Amino acid sequence: MLVTIQNARSVGGTITAPPSKSMAHRAVLCAALAEGRSHITNLEFSKDISATLGAAAQLCARVRTGADDAVVEGLGHFVPLAAPVNCCESGSTLRFLIPIASLTGQAVSFTGRGRLMERPQSVYDALYQEQGLRFEQSAAGLTVEGALTPGEYRLAGNVSSQFISGLLFALPLLSGNSTLHLIPPVESRSYIDMTRSVQAAFGVQSHWLDENTLAIPGGQHYHPCDYTVEGDYSQAAFPAVLGAACGGVTITGLAPETLQGDAAILDILRRCGAKFTQTEAGIPFTKSPLHGVDIDLADCPDLGPVLMVLGLLCEGTTVIRNAERLRLKESDRIAAMEAELRACGGVLESEGGTITVHGCADRLHAPAGVLHGHNDHRVVMSLAVLALSTGIPLTVDDAEAITKSWPNFFEAIKPLGAEVEYA
């Protein structure tokens, strides 16, 4: 799908952050693993969340969805699988479910779309081989079989936190205690604590023995509960960058106290010179000069693409570090954003996981043709922010990629002054 984004008027208005995709994945799985009825409210049925709900229904739960909520009734046992579990393009769904699959007593196969089956699973591969369990991955899918055992686990702390969270979901259900030793440095710690927080709401506990060691008591049970998903800082980053650049934008629906690592967007914008206040009612931005800063993405990699746009709009140089994981997402997000931003006159370069962006807002121009969305929701939404913040109309392909995380994105930005034309 082609979409053209341009300003219908000056930028300004109010936008509500969608529900947190990260929190929703975790709540759905905890509810599915509990025995009984849980009611999850404030849901956005993106493709990723729909994949997790579908997987829960295949494995161990009955799921009934409403307009923005779901009732998940955990069966208290796993059911025989008649087909592979389709994770669509959701890395969280796949990596969270692999350890859970070891509890089912059967071989479990997973399929997906896009680059999902190309994304590295070496952490689990090594762990399964170590325990003598089946782990087979190909471009067509992934199959695991065999039960994980309680005990001592050692994982690199600088891998995706999704591997750590996956083990956190499954290990409490084993008969004995387990310990996760994370080899420093530990990145994305906020995502680990987000998992632990949602688990605690469903009655499952773990605790840090020190900053690199997690103790996970065995023999636990998830308990059903009613859970409301808070607003998503990673998605709010798109209107936040727009508000910082143009002023007049107010974001609602975000909890001031949160475990989300992507809440770092506010500190990053503040350091760039953005002017805003945060209250329970919302976050209004006023226009102010922006300047480049040094940014560490280790705990908030999803912010990378829109921060590359921000760097172009700042005076001076922005350096984004620890961005290696961006190369292993739905696209190589570093290469994708470099290509599309350069097509608009952007000046930036990268080496490994370090991206250097040179402020050049006054030299940006309309591209010679259509920009490519690279089948990546965050690339598409970042380019929309570029169009609105600069006033340069941009046409982007693969625009349907937004359905992966924020299906209503284009409609949501219209009250901010966006004109969106679909082809």
Side-chain angles (χ1 to χ4, degrees):
M1 180 176 71
L2 284 177
V3 167
T4 300
I5 307 113
Q6 59 187 327
N7 290 346
R9 56 172 173 79
S10 61
V11 169
T14 299
I15 186 169
T16 300
S20 166
K21 186 161 68 82
S22 295
M23 306 284 281
H25 279 302
R26 289 158 169 80
V28 168
L29 290 180
C30 288
L33 292 170
E35 184 174 2
R37 178 186 181 279
S38 297
H39 186 202
I40 304 172
T41 53
N42 195 33
L43 277 179
E44 173 92 72
F45 294 105
S46 63
K47 284 188 175 178
D48 279 12
I49 296 305
S50 295
T52 295
L53 285 163
Q58 265 186 280
L59 287 167
C60 56
R62 283 189 285 268
V63 176
R64 187 174 74 253
T65 58
D68 60 357
D69 67 332
V71 173
V72 179
E73 187 176 349
L75 302 176
H77 61 85
F78 294 96
V79 299
L81 285 172
V85 178
N86 184 2
C87 298
C88 197
E89 290 183 85
S90 175
S92 294
T93 306
L94 177 61
R95 287 174 175 167
F96 290 170
L97 284 175
I98 287 172
I100 292 171
S102 83
L103 306 173
T104 66
Q106 58 189 310
V108 179
S109 295
F110 299 95
T111 60
R113 294 182 56 249
R115 283 169 36 118
L116 181 63
M117 289 303 159
E118 300 170 22
R119 292 170 73 171
Q121 311 295 342
S122 56
V123 173
Y124 286 151
D125 191 359
L127 189 155
Y128 271 63
Q129 301 299 337
E130 198 175 285
Q131 296 200 12
L133 309 178
R134 179 183 176 193
F135 188 100
E136 299 172 359
Q137 183 177 5
S138 70
L142 188 155
T143 300
V144 295
E145 186 176 10
L148 292 172
T149 55
E152 305 289 317
Y153 288 78
R154 294 182 66 84
L155 280 76
N158 61 351
V159 298
S160 170
S161 64
Q162 292 169 350
F163 295 110
I164 300 164
S165 289
L167 289 170
L168 279 171
F169 284 118
L171 294 180
L173 299 178
L174 302 182
S175 58
N177 299 336
S178 297
T179 306
L180 274 179
H181 301 277
L182 306 180
I183 303 166
V186 179
E187 299 179 0
S188 300
R189 188 182 297 270
S190 62
Y191 285 92
I192 299 169
D193 284 334
M194 192 189 307
T195 300
R196 296 177 57 246
S197 170
V198 179
Q199 286 181 294
F202 287 82
V204 167
Q205 304 292 332
S206 59
H207 60 275
W208 291 100
L209 295 176
D210 57 44
E211 62 180 11
N212 300 318
T213 311
L214 272 166
I216 305 157
Q220 299 189 67
H221 301 278
Y222 289 89
H223 300 284
C225 79
D226 293 342
Y227 190 90
T228 299
V229 178
E230 66 181 59
D232 195 329
Y233 276 88
S234 67
Q235 307 292 53
F238 299 101
V241 168
L242 179 63
C246 300
V249 172
T250 297
I251 304 172
T252 62
L254 293 173
E257 299 296 325
T258 182
L259 291 172
Q260 294 180 55
D262 293 319
I265 185 62
L266 297 182
D267 179 63
I268 293 167
L269 291 174
R270 190 176 282 112
R271 290 194 292 116
C272 288
K275 301 297 182 186
F276 61 90
T277 55
Q278 184 174 21
T279 67
E280 292 285 351
I283 308 173
F285 286 83
T286 56
K287 185 174 174 60
S288 61
L290 302 177
H291 55 80
V293 296
D294 201 287
I295 299 169
D296 186 347
L297 274 196
D299 203 39
C300 51
D302 285 342
L303 300 180
V306 77
L307 291 178
M308 293 171 74
V309 172
L310 174 67
L312 298 183
L313 306 177
C314 290
E315 286 290 328
T317 301
T318 296
V319 180
I320 302 171
R321 305 185 192 277
N322 292 318
E324 294 89 344
R325 256 177 268 161
L326 269 65
R327 297 196 184 276
L328 302 172
K329 299 290 187 176
E330 287 80 351
S331 68
D332 177 340
R333 286 178 175 164
I334 296 177
M337 290 300 297
E338 283 182 311
E340 305 317 313
L341 296 180
R342 285 176 185 150
C344 301
V347 182
L348 66 167
E349 63 268 356
S350 66
E351 182 175 350
T354 300
I355 310 160
T356 304
V357 187
H358 305 279
C360 55
D362 57 342
R363 287 171 282 158
L364 296 173
H365 56 73
V370 172
L371 295 180
H372 301 298
H374 298 265
N375 190 38
D376 193 316
H377 53 131
R378 298 196 190 276
V379 171
V380 173
M381 291 187 280
S382 295
L383 295 175
V385 172
L386 179 66
L388 295 179
S389 57
T390 61
I392 300 170
L394 297 178
T395 300
V396 183
D397 66 13
D398 285 343
E400 68 276 8
I402 62 163
T403 58
K404 187 176 193 299
S405 61
W406 194 351
N408 196 42
F409 173 74
F410 290 126
E411 295 306 308
I413 62 174
K414 286 181 179 179
L416 302 183
E419 180 178 298
V420 181
E421 295 181 6
Y422 301 91

